[in-house]
């Protein structure tokens, strides 16, 4: 004889529904809610592109675009070795860097805080390493997370960045700016 009882239709009507898969746990629900919140926070950090027409780095040919000046020019100085005082290749023409503004090159930002004073900084933002995108109103700006830095010393003036941009050494060699 067997212990198996035959099932009747009335037994099936009162039975609990069968659930497939694993049951949700409180830990799983909290982890999912946390992941959703983190996704929303990251999306809010902003990825929109600026549309105000200010110079943003380099043009299509790779030449630097002066930023923060009314007459940006091309920034194309022809490159090449200056042959003077061992300064090396010209980074930019002095005339291309506006007083109170600057230009963004492939690896650095060159500024002219006051007439005849030139400064250079690494173009990598100290917040999360995005490249800075413009020089405007006496500040070097990173549009990734809206950090800003002084054109005088690279110190942070706004946004989440807390460290200054790394300074680079440049000097005037004739009509050009070269690495010192």
């Amino acid at each position: 004889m067997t212990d198996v009882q035959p099932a009747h239709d009335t037994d099936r009507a009162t039975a609990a529904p069968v659930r497939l898969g694993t049951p949700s746990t409180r830990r799983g629900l909290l982890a999912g809610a946390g992941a959703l919140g983190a996704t929303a926070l990251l999306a809010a950090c902003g990825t929109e592109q600026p549309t105000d027409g200010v110079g943003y780095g380099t043009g299509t040919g790779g030449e630097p675009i002066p930023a923060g000046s009314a007459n940006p020019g091309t920034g194309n100085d022809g490159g090449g070795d200056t042959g003077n005082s061992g300064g090396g290749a010209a980074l930019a023409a002095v005339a291309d860097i506006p007083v109170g503004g600057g230009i963004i090159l492939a690896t650095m930002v060159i500024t002219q805080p006051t007439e005849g004073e030139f400064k250079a900084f690494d173009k990598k933002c100290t917040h999360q390493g995005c490249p800075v995108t413009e020089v405007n109103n006496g500040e070097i700006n990173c549009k990734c997370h809206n950090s800003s830095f002084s054109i005088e010393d690279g110190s942070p003036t706004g946004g989440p960045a807390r460290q200054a941009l790394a300074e680079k050494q440049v000097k005037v060699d004739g009509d050009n700016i070269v690495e010192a």
Side-chain angles (χ1 to χ4, degrees), residues 50-75:
T51 57
D52 57 5
V54 179
Y56 294 109
T58 58
T60 56
E63 74 277 358
I65 298 173
S69 73
N71 183 11
T74 66

Side-chain angles (χ1 to χ4, degrees), residues 62-64 74-82 88-94 96 105 175-176:
E63 74 277 358
T74 66
N76 188 0
D77 62 13
D81 193 290
T82 61
L91 299 170
V94 169
D96 288 341
L105 303 174
D175 292 335
N176 296 313

Side-chain angles (χ1 to χ4, degrees), residues 56-119:
Y56 294 109
T58 58
T60 56
E63 74 277 358
I65 298 173
S69 73
N71 183 11
T74 66
N76 188 0
D77 62 13
D81 193 290
T82 61
N84 299 334
S85 29
L91 299 170
V94 169
D96 288 341
I97 304 170
V99 176
I103 61 171
I104 300 173
L105 303 174
T107 61
M108 70 178 73
V109 180
I110 301 176
T111 65
Q112 186 177 189
T114 59
E115 181 86 32
E117 177 188 18
F118 296 91
K119 302 279 187 162

Side-chain angles (χ1 to χ4, degrees), residues 127 142 145-149 156-162:
H127 174 237
C142 176
H145 302 105
N146 295 319
S147 289
S148 56
F149 305 88
T157 57
R162 299 286 179 244

Side-chain angles (χ1 to χ4, degrees), residues 143-170:
K143 293 297 184 180
C144 271
H145 302 105
N146 295 319
S147 289
S148 56
F149 305 88
S150 167
I151 64 169
E152 296 175 10
D153 59 7
S155 62
T157 57
R162 299 286 179 244
Q163 294 180 342
L165 294 173
E167 189 167 358
K168 295 189 172 254
Q169 299 300 312
V170 294

Side-chain angles (χ1 to χ4, degrees), residues 19-25 28:
R19 295 179 128 184
L20 300 177
T22 58
S24 297
T25 63

